[in-house]
């Protein structure tokens, strides 16, 4: 497993040099066996690493971190143009055993009986996993921004476990937007299509690892054992998109997600296959982009045992005079180890604290198959037909035997297509056979422009979705 620690900077130096120390000395005294222990002669310093380029990615998530509870996901449907709310859907996904899910949808999932989806009514789909559906959304009024500003629903509380951020204490909230191709979020509701959704976790993760122990080069070193940890200045909520973490409320005393074993975490023992690591110490929401001061930055307060004595070391997410941002779907590993340079060991036992920043390998993929009725993909369409507006323009002379191939991808479809000209105009003739709709428009001798609407439907779903073609004849 590869880690990159970039730009390490020492923030605490030895006593007497004249710098303030964010170290063991930040606590004036430590109670031990009923007495007072003065740590001034045994400083524990820390250094902080922040990313200065693209983070290194590696497989770090496990099944618990990509599982969707009960394979159920919430889909918020919006009109793609005005980004106004249409409907909330609760979908059931299928899962093959890995961090990939699938769902098969039909147009009937998006329209009620007797309704149609007209040309240009593309959709914007927002998917949310492991979070409770929002209530009180108004069709045609509520916007995408309104919904994004209200996600995610769960809040962190002071002096409570960070499990509060997870659904049922174990399912990570995730959010994703449907896309066609690499970028388009405007999903056409005509034509069969495969759309992809990358679900990104709405939380970050902190691990703590201790590597400080006696070595052949330094037999005088003692083990640094992790006994406890709490998170301070944790942000109580988050949102989606540009609304992320708009609330600036912070809470303290946040307890670990992982259970610290009796006796603590030792650098000489393996925990879940990794020496000395408290994996999943914390899940937390990302920090707002507006943070500037050190007292706004999250702080991990670690209780360690060193040489039989208990100490507190506070590690802030702050360096070089700026807050180091905590980003969703990123992993931050606090590494405790011997300090070789530039600061020599203090009384034979200096300890540094660095943070390795990595992208939390993901995202979780969801593939949605929109099963619709439309002209067959890749088919050659007649001259004068605009596939975007579903309009066929015909001159006064008319046309004979214009053919358009249709395909129905409705789940459970019999592939039987029904074509009708609404109002039964006598100048439009239709037939359907062998997957081809054949259309004849008689010459226009009226001297005025005329229009008609042809409806194409699946026989099994005649009112769920109708593909409409507008014929306009000079």
């Amino acid at each position: 497993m590869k880690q990159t620690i970039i730009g390490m900077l020492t923030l605490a130096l030895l006593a007497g040099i004249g710098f303030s120390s964010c170290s063991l000395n930040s606590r004036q005294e430590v109670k031990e066996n009923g007495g007072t222990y003065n740590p001034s002669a045994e400083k524990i310093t820390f250094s902080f690493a922040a990313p200065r380029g693209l983070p290194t990615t590696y497989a770090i998530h496990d099944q618990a971190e990509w599982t969707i509870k009960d394979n159920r996901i919430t889909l918020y449907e919006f009109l793609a143009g005005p980004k106004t709310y249409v409907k909330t859907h609760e979908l059931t996904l299928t899962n093959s055993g890995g961090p990939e899910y699938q769902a098969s949808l039909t147009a009937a999932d998006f329209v009620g009986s007797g309704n149609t989806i007209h040309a240009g009514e593309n959709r914007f789909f927002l998917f949310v996993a492991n979070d409770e559906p929002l209530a009180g959304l108004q069709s045609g009024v509520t916007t995408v921004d309104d919904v994004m500003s209200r996600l995610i629903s769960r809040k962190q509380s002071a002096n409570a476990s960070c499990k509060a951020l997870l659904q049922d204490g174990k399912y990570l909230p995730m959010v994703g937007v449907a896309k066609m191709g690499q970028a388009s979020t405007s999903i056409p509701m005509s034509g069969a299509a495969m759309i992809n959704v990358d679900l990104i976790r709405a939380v970050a993760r902190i691990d703590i690892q201790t590597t400080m122990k006696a070595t052949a080069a330094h037999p005088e070193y003692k083990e640094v054992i992790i006994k406890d940890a709490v998170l301070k200045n944790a942000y109580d909520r988050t949102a989606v998109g540009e609304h992320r973490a708009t609330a600036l409320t912070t809470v303290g005393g946040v307890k670990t997600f992982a259970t610290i074993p009796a006796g603590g975490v030792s650098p000489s023992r393996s925990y879940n296959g990794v020496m000395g690591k408290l994996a999943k110490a914390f899940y937390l929401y990302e920090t707002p982009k507006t943070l500037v001061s050190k007292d706004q930055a999250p702080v991990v307060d670690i209780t360690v045992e060193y040489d039989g004595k208990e100490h507190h070391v506070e590690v802030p997410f702050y360096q070089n005079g700026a807050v180091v941002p905590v980003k969703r779907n990123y992993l931050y590993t606090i590494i405790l180890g011997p300090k070789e340079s530039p600061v020599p060991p203090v009384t034979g036992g200096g300890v540094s604290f660095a943070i390795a920043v990595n992208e939390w390998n993901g995202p979780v993929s969801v593939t949605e198959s929109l099963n619709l009725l439309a002209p067959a993909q890749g088919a050659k369409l007649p001259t004068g037909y605009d596939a975007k507006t579903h309009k066929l323009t015909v001159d006064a002379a008319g046309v004979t035997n214009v053919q358009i191939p249709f395909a129905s991808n409705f789940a459970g479809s019999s592939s039987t297509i029904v074509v009708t000209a609404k109002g039964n105009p006598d100048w439009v003739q239709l037939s359907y056979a062998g997957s081809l709709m054949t259309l004849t428009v008689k010459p226009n001798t009226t001297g005025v422009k005329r229009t008609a609407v042809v409806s194409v439907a699946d026989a099994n779903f005649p009112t769920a979705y109708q593909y409409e073609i507008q014929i306009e004849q000079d």
Side-chain angles (χ1 to χ4, degrees):
M1 187 164 59
K2 184 178 180 182
Q3 289 183 333
T4 298
I5 301 179
I6 309 172
M8 184 172 291
L9 175 70
T10 299
L11 297 185
L13 300 180
L14 295 178
I17 298 181
F19 292 87
S20 61
S21 174
C22 299
S23 67
L24 193 63
N25 242 9
S26 63
R27 298 300 182 90
Q28 296 303 310
E29 56 184 25
V30 179
K31 298 290 185 181
E32 182 187 30
N33 299 325
T36 299
Y37 168 69
N38 186 345
S40 61
E42 188 175 345
K43 290 201 173 195
I44 299 181
T45 63
F46 68 86
S47 51
F48 203 101
R52 280 170 169 71
L54 293 176
T56 300
T57 60
Y58 57 95
I60 190 62
H61 59 182
D62 56 24
Q63 181 173 349
E65 293 178 325
W66 51 253
T67 296
I68 298 175
K69 181 186 177 185
D70 299 329
N71 288 349
R72 298 284 291 173
I73 195 168
T74 301
L75 166 59
Y76 297 98
E77 176 188 355
F78 303 86
L79 290 178
K83 297 287 181 66
T84 51
Y85 173 76
V86 177
K87 189 176 179 181
T88 299
H89 308 265
E90 287 295 307
L91 306 180
T92 299
L93 306 174
T94 57
N95 176 242
S96 59
E100 296 179 351
Y101 295 81
Q102 289 189 333
S104 182
L105 310 175
T106 73
D109 292 307
F110 300 100
V111 298
S113 177
N115 292 331
T116 60
I117 300 175
H118 297 284
E121 290 189 356
N122 286 10
R123 295 297 195 261
F124 178 92
F125 292 138
L126 176 65
F127 290 80
V128 182
N130 301 331
D131 196 43
E132 289 67 37
L134 297 176
L137 306 183
Q138 295 180 275
S139 179
V141 177
T142 303
T143 65
V144 171
D145 285 349
D146 294 333
V147 172
M148 287 183 169
S149 67
R150 292 175 57 185
L151 298 170
I152 298 293
S153 66
R154 285 179 295 278
K155 291 186 177 182
Q156 181 60 276
S157 300
N159 304 312
S161 171
C162 58
K163 290 182 179 180
L165 304 185
L166 282 60
Q167 191 171 45
D168 295 344
K170 57 183 178 180
Y171 299 102
L172 301 182
M174 295 181 281
V175 178
V177 173
K179 294 182 180 180
M180 291 188 68
Q182 295 297 315
S184 177
T185 60
S186 181
I187 310 300
M189 296 302 288
S190 59
M194 295 292 288
I195 62 176
N196 296 310
V197 184
D198 287 340
L199 294 176
I200 302 297
R201 299 169 188 86
V203 295
R205 171 177 146 185
I206 295 177
D207 292 356
I208 307 174
Q209 185 172 13
T210 173
T211 64
M212 177 65 174
K213 62 182 180 179
T215 65
H218 294 280
E220 73 278 12
Y221 285 175
K222 311 294 183 183
E223 286 192 343
V224 168
I225 300 173
I226 303 168
K227 302 300 293 286
D228 195 10
V230 295
L231 180 62
K232 301 177 181 179
N233 276 359
Y235 284 82
D236 69 337
R237 69 178 298 264
T238 191
V240 177
E242 293 304 313
H243 303 280
R244 294 180 180 181
T246 53
L248 299 181
T249 303
T250 58
V251 295
V254 176
K255 297 176 175 59
T256 61
F257 176 84
T259 300
I260 299 177
V265 176
S266 164
S268 301
R269 292 184 56 188
S270 174
Y271 303 86
N272 297 317
V274 182
M275 295 295 290
K277 177 178 282 190
L278 179 64
K280 304 180 184 178
F282 298 101
Y283 293 112
L284 69 162
Y285 288 139
E286 63 191 353
T287 52
K289 297 178 180 178
T290 56
L291 302 189
V292 293
S293 64
K294 185 176 181 179
D295 59 5
Q296 294 176 312
V299 177
V300 179
D301 184 347
I302 308 172
T303 302
V304 299
E305 180 182 298
Y306 180 78
D307 199 18
K309 302 176 179 66
E310 194 171 273
H311 312 285
H312 286 264
V313 181
E314 294 188 339
V315 181
F317 278 63
Y318 188 88
Q319 79 144 28
N320 288 345
V323 174
V324 175
V326 174
K327 299 180 181 180
R328 66 181 61 202
N329 212 55
Y330 272 68
L331 167 65
Y332 301 83
T333 304
I334 299 175
I335 304 171
L336 291 61
K339 186 62 162 177
E340 303 294 350
S341 64
V343 182
V346 182
T347 64
V351 179
S352 72
F353 293 81
I355 292 187
V357 184
N358 293 276
E359 188 174 7
W360 193 356
N361 197 29
V364 179
S365 297
V366 176
T367 300
E368 303 286 348
S369 176
L370 288 179
N371 297 319
L372 304 171
L373 170 70
Q377 291 188 351
K380 182 178 180 180
L381 299 176
T383 302
Y385 182 73
D386 187 331
K388 182 176 181 180
T389 62
H390 302 193
K391 180 186 288 187
L392 175 64
T393 302
V394 180
D395 61 26
V399 293
T400 302
N401 295 331
V402 170
Q403 293 185 324
I404 302 178
F406 272 83
S408 175
N409 291 306
F410 278 75
S413 171
S414 64
S415 297
T416 299
I417 305 300
V418 178
V419 294
T420 57
K422 292 187 176 181
N424 298 314
D426 60 6
W427 53 279
V428 176
Q429 295 178 341
L430 294 167
S431 64
Y432 187 89
S435 79
L436 289 175
M437 182 190 79
T438 302
L439 168 69
T440 294
V441 179
K442 296 180 179 180
N444 185 4
T445 59
T446 66
V448 296
K449 183 178 292 188
R450 59 187 179 184
T451 61
V453 175
V454 172
S455 172
V456 185
D458 187 296
N460 282 21
F461 306 92
T463 61
Y465 178 75
Q466 299 171 5
Y467 189 94
E468 294 185 341
I469 298 174
Q470 181 177 339
I471 301 173
E472 188 173 281
Q473 186 180 29
D474 293 331

